[in-house]
Amino acid sequence: DVQLVESGGGSVQAGGSLKLSCSTSGLIGGYYCMAWFRQAPGKEREGVAAIDADDRPSYTDSVKGRFTISRDNDKKTLYLQMNSLKPEDTAMYFCAAVEGLGTVMPGGVCYYTMNHWGKGTLVTVSS
């Protein structure tokens, strides 16, 4: 079974930083696209950042220049470095993965529909 486990969420003041991690198990090989999604209370889930098997990243416009997605295939871990956090970044953040050679698309998502999800980690940014 594939498992994704997020960590690193917490409460910070506006302008602060957090680094989210997503440890994975069960993903075979290195050919998969991974992404971070978020869902704020009362809002739909949205793509934040994605990275394909060749380490090509994609970001949604609202986080460009502030967030950085990266992956360590040896450690089987996905990261999201979040700097200059804003109150509107407050949300539950989810890690997701999909196998295959699909690349990333504009807007911080993978080409293929994600089929593995973590349970999320909460990020709260106060003003």
Side-chain angles (χ1 to χ4, degrees):
D1 287 351
V2 175
Q3 290 191 332
L4 307 177
V5 180
E6 303 93 337
S7 62
S11 297
V12 295
Q13 290 191 329
S17 298
L18 283 174
K19 186 173 184 177
L20 305 184
S21 299
C22 173
S23 60
T24 74
S25 61
L27 287 169
I28 304 300
Y31 294 104
Y32 45 90
C33 187
M34 299 196 71
W36 290 97
F37 289 77
R38 66 186 179 187
Q39 187 167 19
K43 295 188 177 181
E44 293 187 355
R45 186 176 61 197
E46 64 170 346
V48 176
I51 187 167
D52 69 9
D54 292 321
D55 286 343
R56 279 185 292 257
S58 172
Y59 301 93
T60 192
D61 286 345
S62 63
V63 307
K64 284 181 180 177
R66 300 188 298 123
F67 291 10
T68 302
I69 190 171
S70 61
R71 59 194 287 173
D72 184 330
N73 289 333
D74 290 336
K75 294 183 179 179
K76 299 183 180 180
T77 302
L78 178 72
Y79 303 99
L80 185 68
Q81 177 67 47
M82 306 186 296
N83 299 328
S84 302
L85 283 161
K86 303 175 180 180
E88 50 264 44
D89 295 318
T90 295
M92 185 72 78
Y93 283 72
F94 300 90
C95 170
V98 58
E99 295 93 336
L101 293 175
T103 187
V104 295
M105 300 293 289
V109 295
C110 296
Y111 179 79
Y112 294 120
T113 300
M114 316 308 283
N115 59 355
H116 303 293
W117 291 87
K119 295 184 177 180
T121 185
L122 182 62
V123 172
T124 304
V125 185
S126 58
S127 57

